[in-house]
Amino acid sequence: MQSVKIHGLRQAQKAFERLPEAVRQAKADVFEAVGEYLLEDVQNRISGSGRVAGVQEYQVGSGKGYVAVRAKKETYLDGAAAGYITNAL
């Protein structure tokens, strides 16, 4: 009877086990880079004195599945929440 030897199967299995984390990290890296670009684009599109543009930030989602540009939390412009002003624009 013939026998078959498989070399590297254990290493391949370990590599596949690390794959989901590697993909998650790659997505996080892409969203981080995209977030910087989006923030700059949003700030450039907001006209005026720059006060509203200056209170914007980007945030990568906790699950690393999205990136968003939004007003900074707990930031106020002339007594109004920056988020309200941003949404009104």
XYZ file of all heavy atoms in Angstrom:
678
model
N 0.841 -1.177 0.000
C 0.000 0.000 0.000
C 0.886 1.240 0.000
O 1.882 1.303 0.694
C -0.895 -0.050 1.242
C -1.812 1.098 1.375
S -3.156 0.648 2.456
C -4.471 1.332 1.540
N 0.489 2.215 -0.759
C 1.248 3.459 -0.835
C 0.874 4.391 0.305
O -0.242 4.365 0.806
C 0.971 4.166 -2.156
C 1.506 3.445 -3.359
C 1.230 4.224 -4.631
O 0.292 4.983 -4.702
N 2.071 4.014 -5.624
N 1.840 5.220 0.701
C 1.557 6.219 1.732
C 1.800 7.611 1.147
O 2.585 7.776 0.224
C 2.435 5.994 2.959
O 3.782 6.204 2.620
N 1.100 8.551 1.683
C 1.204 9.930 1.228
C 1.683 10.773 2.400
O 1.141 10.689 3.497
C -0.153 10.461 0.728
C -0.052 11.918 0.351
C -0.665 9.620 -0.417
N 2.688 11.587 2.152
C 3.187 12.504 3.175
C 2.802 13.925 2.766
O 3.030 14.325 1.632
C 4.698 12.401 3.315
C 5.154 11.141 3.975
C 6.638 11.216 4.237
C 7.078 9.958 4.964
N 8.506 10.015 5.284
N 2.214 14.614 3.680
C 1.823 16.002 3.431
C 2.695 16.888 4.311
O 2.688 16.767 5.530
C 0.330 16.232 3.732
C -0.532 15.342 2.842
C -0.024 17.699 3.548
C -2.005 15.394 3.145
N 3.430 17.759 3.669
C 4.307 18.670 4.400
C 3.685 20.057 4.425
O 3.141 20.516 3.434
C 5.689 18.738 3.723
C 6.403 17.436 3.707
N 7.015 16.914 4.817
C 6.597 16.530 2.714
C 7.564 15.755 4.514
N 7.312 15.489 3.231
N 3.750 20.706 5.563
C 3.286 22.081 5.664
C 1.813 22.241 5.975
O 1.318 23.361 6.002
N 1.112 21.141 6.187
C -0.323 21.246 6.455
C -0.590 22.010 7.756
O -1.477 22.865 7.812
C -0.970 19.867 6.514
C -2.478 19.833 6.691
C -3.162 20.592 5.559
C -2.981 18.402 6.733
N 0.190 21.749 8.775
C -0.005 22.422 10.061
C 0.254 23.930 9.926
O -0.490 24.756 10.463
C 0.908 21.821 11.126
C 0.476 22.161 12.536
C 1.269 21.400 13.583
N 1.239 19.959 13.425
C 0.305 19.138 13.921
N -0.689 19.656 14.612
N 0.358 17.843 13.746
N 1.300 24.300 9.177
C 1.589 25.719 8.977
C 0.475 26.397 8.181
O 0.099 27.526 8.455
C 2.930 25.901 8.238
C 4.134 25.504 9.057
C 4.460 24.010 8.923
O 3.676 23.234 8.395
N 5.620 23.625 9.428
N -0.051 25.701 7.177
C -1.152 26.255 6.386
C -2.388 26.447 7.254
O -3.090 27.468 7.157
C -1.471 25.348 5.205
N -2.656 25.494 8.130
C -3.810 25.596 9.024
C -3.664 26.807 9.947
O -4.615 27.568 10.136
C -3.952 24.316 9.851
C -5.133 24.343 10.791
C -5.227 23.084 11.640
O -4.321 22.245 11.624
N -6.308 22.946 12.365
N -2.473 27.012 10.499
C -2.251 28.170 11.375
C -2.403 29.482 10.610
O -2.943 30.459 11.128
C -0.874 28.071 12.024
C -0.794 27.001 13.090
C 0.576 26.955 13.731
C 0.609 25.840 14.766
N 1.917 25.744 15.416
N -1.926 29.499 9.369
C -2.057 30.709 8.551
C -3.524 31.018 8.291
O -3.950 32.178 8.340
C -1.300 30.532 7.236
N -4.330 29.995 7.997
C -5.764 30.215 7.773
C -6.462 30.685 9.037
O -7.401 31.475 8.981
C -6.429 28.945 7.251
C -6.235 28.720 5.781
C -5.630 27.570 5.317
C -6.650 29.660 4.851
C -5.439 27.362 3.962
C -6.465 29.472 3.491
C -5.857 28.315 3.051
N -6.016 30.225 10.190
C -6.613 30.661 11.447
C -6.331 32.140 11.710
O -7.138 32.832 12.322
C -6.093 29.814 12.604
C -6.633 28.396 12.595
C -5.958 27.487 13.607
O -5.010 27.938 14.302
O -6.370 26.323 13.713
N -5.189 32.651 11.231
C -4.838 34.062 11.416
C -5.480 34.958 10.360
O -5.504 36.170 10.501
C -3.317 34.234 11.357
C -2.588 33.655 12.555
C -1.116 34.052 12.540
N -0.450 33.693 11.298
C 0.261 32.578 11.096
N 0.380 31.698 12.053
N 0.837 32.354 9.927
N -6.019 34.379 9.324
C -6.545 35.149 8.204
C -7.643 36.147 8.593
O -7.580 37.304 8.181
C -7.030 34.208 7.103
C -7.395 34.850 5.777
C -6.201 35.604 5.194
C -7.878 33.803 4.795
N -8.647 35.768 9.383
C -9.692 36.758 9.722
C -9.124 38.005 10.405
O -9.539 39.123 10.109
C -10.631 36.000 10.661
C -10.454 34.568 10.285
C -9.001 34.439 9.909
N -8.172 37.840 11.301
C -7.583 38.998 11.971
C -6.765 39.831 10.995
O -6.782 41.064 11.051
C -6.707 38.558 13.146
C -6.089 39.712 13.909
C -7.093 40.731 14.420
O -8.219 40.354 14.788
O -6.749 41.934 14.428
N -6.084 39.181 10.065
C -5.302 39.912 9.069
C -6.218 40.729 8.163
O -5.919 41.881 7.835
C -4.460 38.945 8.239
N -7.344 40.163 7.777
C -8.307 40.881 6.934
C -8.899 42.058 7.713
O -9.027 43.165 7.186
C -9.421 39.933 6.430
C -10.564 40.704 5.797
C -8.847 38.913 5.464
N -9.236 41.829 8.971
C -9.794 42.894 9.818
C -8.789 44.042 9.946
O -9.161 45.217 9.851
C -10.133 42.323 11.189
C -10.820 43.292 12.116
C -11.234 42.561 13.405
N -12.029 43.377 14.250
C -11.545 44.144 15.235
N -10.267 44.187 15.465
N -12.347 44.857 15.981
N -7.525 43.721 10.150
C -6.507 44.757 10.284
C -6.305 45.497 8.970
O -6.137 46.717 8.955
C -5.177 44.160 10.767
C -4.122 45.205 11.051
C -4.555 46.225 12.093
O -5.054 45.868 13.153
N -4.394 47.499 11.788
N -6.339 44.783 7.867
C -6.189 45.423 6.554
C -7.341 46.395 6.302
O -7.131 47.515 5.811
C -6.121 44.370 5.452
N -8.576 45.987 6.645
C -9.730 46.884 6.500
C -9.560 48.112 7.380
O -9.831 49.236 6.953
C -11.022 46.156 6.875
C -11.594 45.328 5.781
C -12.875 44.601 6.119
C -13.754 45.154 7.166
N -14.980 44.399 7.421
N -9.105 47.917 8.609
C -8.911 49.046 9.523
C -7.883 50.016 8.961
O -8.075 51.233 9.027
C -8.475 48.540 10.898
N -6.809 49.497 8.383
C -5.777 50.357 7.797
C -6.340 51.157 6.618
O -6.050 52.347 6.471
C -4.579 49.527 7.341
C -3.823 48.895 8.504
O -4.029 49.321 9.663
O -3.030 47.959 8.255
N -7.132 50.497 5.782
C -7.737 51.188 4.630
C -8.698 52.269 5.109
O -8.667 53.405 4.623
C -8.461 50.184 3.702
C -9.337 50.904 2.693
C -7.448 49.299 2.993
N -9.550 51.946 6.071
C -10.507 52.932 6.572
C -9.800 54.106 7.238
O -10.269 55.240 7.169
C -11.521 52.298 7.520
C -12.567 51.482 6.813
C -12.936 50.246 7.294
C -13.180 51.950 5.671
C -13.901 49.490 6.649
C -14.142 51.210 5.011
C -14.504 49.974 5.506
N -8.685 53.850 7.887
C -7.914 54.927 8.511
C -7.419 55.898 7.437
O -7.543 57.116 7.577
C -6.730 54.334 9.284
C -6.064 55.290 10.232
C -6.901 55.643 11.446
O -7.675 54.808 11.931
O -6.775 56.788 11.901
N -6.877 55.366 6.349
C -6.386 56.211 5.255
C -7.536 56.929 4.556
O -7.440 58.124 4.239
C -5.597 55.372 4.258
N -8.627 56.218 4.331
C -9.792 56.814 3.677
C -10.395 57.899 4.570
O -10.832 58.938 4.089
C -10.842 55.734 3.325
C -12.160 56.353 2.905
C -10.306 54.836 2.223
N -10.395 57.678 5.878
C -10.942 58.663 6.806
C -10.220 59.991 6.725
O -10.852 61.054 6.721
N -8.897 59.950 6.630
C -8.129 61.184 6.512
C -8.491 61.917 5.220
O -8.654 63.139 5.218
C -6.634 60.874 6.547
C -6.160 60.374 7.899
C -4.710 59.944 7.896
O -3.981 60.254 6.928
O -4.298 59.303 8.875
N -8.622 61.182 4.136
C -8.992 61.774 2.846
C -10.401 62.369 2.909
O -10.634 63.492 2.459
C -8.904 60.718 1.745
C -9.450 61.191 0.429
C -8.701 62.015 -0.408
C -10.734 60.839 0.021
C -9.210 62.465 -1.614
C -11.253 61.290 -1.182
C -10.480 62.095 -1.989
O -10.993 62.542 -3.175
N -11.341 61.608 3.468
C -12.725 62.090 3.551
C -12.837 63.330 4.421
O -13.572 64.268 4.092
C -13.641 60.988 4.090
C -13.917 59.814 3.170
C -14.738 58.762 3.896
C -14.637 60.284 1.918
N -12.132 63.342 5.541
C -12.169 64.505 6.421
C -11.678 65.742 5.685
O -12.321 66.802 5.735
C -11.323 64.267 7.664
C -11.195 65.457 8.625
C -12.557 65.892 9.133
C -10.263 65.110 9.771
N -10.577 65.620 4.980
C -10.053 66.748 4.217
C -11.048 67.202 3.154
O -11.274 68.402 2.973
C -8.733 66.364 3.561
C -8.079 67.492 2.816
C -6.752 67.087 2.201
O -6.101 66.169 2.713
O -6.382 67.707 1.184
N -11.690 66.257 2.485
C -12.672 66.594 1.453
C -13.873 67.316 2.055
O -14.331 68.327 1.520
C -13.110 65.326 0.720
C -13.978 65.625 -0.487
O -13.575 66.492 -1.305
O -15.054 65.002 -0.617
N -14.391 66.812 3.168
C -15.538 67.455 3.824
C -15.161 68.858 4.280
O -15.920 69.814 4.079
C -16.040 66.597 5.010
C -17.000 67.380 5.894
C -16.695 65.326 4.509
N -14.000 68.998 4.888
C -13.575 70.320 5.355
C -13.435 71.301 4.193
O -13.779 72.472 4.331
C -12.256 70.213 6.129
C -12.441 69.556 7.482
C -11.135 69.296 8.201
O -10.108 69.053 7.587
N -11.184 69.333 9.523
N -12.948 70.829 3.063
C -12.818 71.703 1.897
C -14.170 72.104 1.325
O -14.305 73.176 0.738
C -11.983 71.035 0.800
C -10.519 70.964 1.162
O -10.028 71.765 1.951
N -9.821 69.997 0.605
N -15.186 71.270 1.485
C -16.515 71.556 0.926
C -17.350 72.468 1.815
O -18.337 73.025 1.370
C -17.267 70.253 0.666
C -16.685 69.460 -0.484
C -17.330 68.088 -0.551
N -16.756 67.311 -1.619
C -17.392 66.999 -2.743
N -18.628 67.395 -2.935
N -16.802 66.287 -3.663
N -16.980 72.578 3.079
C -17.711 73.462 3.994
C -17.182 74.871 3.779
O -16.010 75.144 3.963
C -17.519 73.034 5.466
C -18.105 71.646 5.691
C -18.169 74.057 6.395
C -17.836 71.085 7.068
N -18.078 75.759 3.408
C -17.651 77.139 3.158
C -17.793 77.965 4.436
O -18.327 77.511 5.426
C -18.481 77.738 2.033
O -19.850 77.755 2.405
N -17.298 79.164 4.394
C -17.420 80.055 5.537
C -16.071 80.334 6.156
O -15.030 80.268 5.498
N -16.081 80.634 7.450
C -14.864 81.062 8.140
C -13.956 79.906 8.544
O -12.845 80.134 9.000
C -15.239 81.866 9.383
O -15.911 81.024 10.298
N -14.443 78.696 8.443
C -13.633 77.542 8.837
C -13.921 77.023 10.229
O -13.367 76.022 10.656
N -14.804 77.700 10.950
C -15.124 77.266 12.318
C -15.827 75.915 12.318
O -15.500 75.045 13.117
C -15.992 78.311 13.013
C -15.243 79.599 13.297
C -16.102 80.640 13.954
N -16.667 80.117 15.189
C -17.878 80.430 15.629
N -18.628 81.271 14.968
N -18.325 79.927 16.748
N -16.792 75.729 11.422
C -17.531 74.465 11.361
C -16.627 73.363 10.826
O -16.616 72.248 11.338
C -18.813 74.604 10.517
C -19.519 73.264 10.383
C -19.749 75.627 11.135
N -15.838 73.672 9.813
C -14.919 72.682 9.246
C -13.919 72.218 10.294
O -13.523 71.046 10.321
C -14.187 73.260 8.041
N -13.537 73.107 11.177
C -12.537 72.783 12.190
C -13.023 71.852 13.291
O -12.203 71.308 14.035
N -14.320 71.675 13.413
C -14.830 70.800 14.475
C -15.257 69.436 13.935
O -15.920 68.671 14.628
C -15.994 71.455 15.262
C -15.514 72.701 15.984
C -17.168 71.745 14.365
N -14.859 69.139 12.715
C -15.169 67.835 12.124
C -14.033 66.858 12.425
O -12.885 67.250 12.577
C -15.356 67.958 10.608
C -16.391 68.965 10.175
C -17.760 68.708 10.764
O -18.286 67.609 10.691
N -18.351 69.737 11.353
N -14.369 65.587 12.501
C -13.372 64.535 12.682
C -13.860 63.277 11.983
O -15.043 63.158 11.685
C -13.124 64.245 14.158
C -14.319 63.644 14.884
C -14.069 63.402 16.360
O -12.944 63.625 16.824
O -15.022 62.996 17.055
N -12.943 62.361 11.716
C -13.376 61.082 11.168
C -13.221 60.025 12.241
O -12.411 60.160 13.168
C -12.590 60.706 9.901
C -11.181 60.239 10.139
C -10.899 58.884 10.327
C -10.130 61.132 10.170
C -9.608 58.462 10.543
C -8.850 60.712 10.380
C -8.581 59.382 10.559
O -7.292 58.956 10.782
N -14.041 59.003 12.134
C -14.012 57.929 13.113
C -14.228 56.611 12.399
O -15.175 56.470 11.616
C -15.094 58.146 14.164
C -15.078 57.097 15.244
C -16.079 57.404 16.344
O -16.782 58.406 16.305
N -16.153 56.536 17.317
N -13.342 55.659 12.677
C -13.498 54.299 12.161
C -14.404 53.569 13.142
O -14.243 53.680 14.359
C -12.131 53.589 12.036
C -12.304 52.155 11.558
C -11.221 54.349 11.085
N -15.385 52.838 12.622
C -16.327 52.125 13.470
C -15.637 51.129 14.394
O -14.555 50.627 14.092
N -16.256 50.848 15.520
C -15.654 49.961 16.516
C -15.389 48.561 15.960
O -14.450 47.906 16.371
C -16.547 49.876 17.755
O -17.823 49.367 17.395
N -16.199 48.137 14.998
C -15.979 46.835 14.379
C -15.100 46.910 13.150
O -14.906 45.936 12.448
N -14.560 48.102 12.894
C -13.677 48.339 11.742
C -14.378 48.089 10.419
O -13.752 47.737 9.437
C -12.407 47.490 11.814
C -11.673 47.525 13.126
C -11.143 48.891 13.430
C -10.306 48.836 14.705
N -10.428 49.997 15.499
N -15.707 48.298 10.383
C -16.468 48.033 9.174
C -16.899 49.271 8.411
O -17.532 49.160 7.374
N -16.580 50.460 8.918
C -16.947 51.688 8.218
C -16.091 52.831 8.751
O -15.419 52.711 9.774
C -18.427 52.016 8.403
C -18.784 52.463 9.798
C -18.784 53.818 10.139
C -19.116 51.548 10.786
C -19.104 54.232 11.418
C -19.435 51.954 12.067
C -19.428 53.293 12.373
O -19.732 53.706 13.631
N -16.146 53.932 8.025
C -15.531 55.181 8.477
C -16.543 56.289 8.238
O -17.287 56.262 7.251
C -14.188 55.457 7.769
C -14.380 55.667 6.284
C -13.476 56.647 8.388
N -16.601 57.248 9.157
C -17.556 58.349 9.031
C -16.884 59.654 9.417
O -15.987 59.684 10.258
C -18.759 58.104 9.942
N -17.324 60.729 8.784
C -16.907 62.078 9.162
C -18.088 62.707 9.861
O -19.208 62.687 9.357
C -16.486 62.904 7.924
C -16.183 64.346 8.328
C -15.286 62.275 7.246
N -17.833 63.259 11.025
C -18.909 63.865 11.812
C -18.331 64.951 12.709
O -17.119 65.042 12.878
C -19.610 62.804 12.649
C -18.671 62.046 13.576
C -19.397 61.018 14.392
N -19.857 59.968 13.526
C -19.872 58.683 13.820
N -19.441 58.279 14.991
N -20.308 57.798 12.980
N -19.214 65.715 13.300
C -18.777 66.751 14.238
C -18.231 66.096 15.503
O -18.702 65.035 15.926
C -19.949 67.670 14.582
N -17.250 66.742 16.100
C -16.659 66.225 17.336
C -17.702 66.243 18.441
O -18.528 67.163 18.531
C -15.466 67.082 17.750
C -14.306 67.003 16.789
C -13.184 67.936 17.210
C -12.071 67.920 16.180
N -11.021 68.904 16.500
N -17.669 65.223 19.264
C -18.603 65.142 20.386
C -18.321 66.248 21.393
O -17.180 66.667 21.574
C -18.468 63.788 21.089
C -18.952 62.628 20.284
C -18.816 61.345 21.072
C -19.293 60.172 20.243
N -19.149 58.915 20.958
N -19.377 66.693 22.045
C -19.302 67.679 23.121
C -18.523 68.931 22.713
O -17.739 69.473 23.482
C -18.711 67.048 24.377
C -19.552 65.890 24.891
C -18.983 65.247 26.130
O -18.168 65.887 26.831
O -19.353 64.101 26.411
N -18.743 69.354 21.470
C -18.120 70.569 20.961
C -19.233 71.547 20.600
O -20.222 71.160 19.975
C -17.260 70.256 19.709
O -16.298 69.261 20.068
C -16.555 71.480 19.206
N -19.059 72.792 21.010
C -20.107 73.791 20.817
C -19.573 74.997 20.054
O -18.415 75.381 20.218
C -20.672 74.240 22.168
C -21.316 73.085 22.907
C -20.570 72.280 23.752
C -22.663 72.795 22.718
C -21.156 71.200 24.400
C -23.254 71.718 23.363
C -22.494 70.925 24.205
O -23.074 69.866 24.835
N -20.426 75.552 19.217
C -20.136 76.775 18.488
C -21.221 77.783 18.839
O -22.396 77.565 18.539
C -20.124 76.522 16.970
C -19.052 75.562 16.458
C -19.298 75.209 14.998
C -17.683 76.183 16.617
N -20.848 78.851 19.498
C -21.800 79.888 19.920
C -22.959 79.289 20.713
O -24.117 79.661 20.521
C -22.331 80.672 18.713
C -21.211 81.417 17.990
O -20.238 81.807 18.656
O -21.325 81.593 16.762
N -22.669 78.346 21.574
C -23.677 77.753 22.448
C -24.484 76.610 21.854
O -25.259 75.987 22.551
N -24.322 76.357 20.570
C -25.068 75.256 19.931
C -24.101 74.100 19.665
O -22.935 74.310 19.329
C -25.688 75.730 18.634
N -24.622 72.895 19.807
C -23.800 71.712 19.546
C -23.334 71.719 18.092
O -24.110 72.001 17.173
C -24.597 70.448 19.835
N -22.059 71.432 17.893
C -21.484 71.437 16.549
C -22.212 70.449 15.629
O -22.360 70.693 14.443
C -19.999 71.110 16.605
N -22.686 69.357 16.194
C -23.428 68.367 15.407
C -24.709 68.932 14.828
O -25.066 68.644 13.693
N -25.404 69.754 15.606
C -26.635 70.362 15.100
C -26.342 71.314 13.949
O -27.052 71.345 12.938
C -27.352 71.134 16.219
C -27.940 70.274 17.307
C -27.969 70.705 18.620
C -28.468 69.015 17.019
C -28.512 69.927 19.621
C -29.010 68.218 18.023
C -29.032 68.683 19.317
O -29.559 67.905 20.311
N -25.283 72.083 14.094
C -24.922 73.032 13.039
C -24.483 72.273 11.784
O -24.871 72.602 10.670
C -23.818 73.985 13.522
C -24.382 74.845 14.670
C -23.297 74.842 12.378
C -23.363 75.658 15.388
N -23.698 71.231 11.982
C -23.230 70.418 10.852
C -24.412 69.805 10.125
O -24.485 69.839 8.896
C -22.289 69.305 11.364
O -21.161 69.914 11.982
C -21.843 68.419 10.219
N -25.354 69.258 10.864
C -26.533 68.652 10.228
C -27.367 69.692 9.484
O -27.943 69.398 8.437
C -27.390 67.921 11.258
C -26.714 66.675 11.791
O -25.774 66.166 11.186
N -27.180 66.204 12.924
N -27.444 70.898 10.012
C -28.209 71.944 9.356
C -27.580 72.337 8.028
O -28.276 72.672 7.077
C -28.301 73.164 10.258
N -26.256 72.268 7.952
C -25.580 72.598 6.689
C -25.827 71.516 5.679
O -25.863 71.714 4.512
C -24.071 72.753 6.913
C -23.655 73.965 7.736
C -22.152 73.938 7.977
C -24.053 75.252 7.038
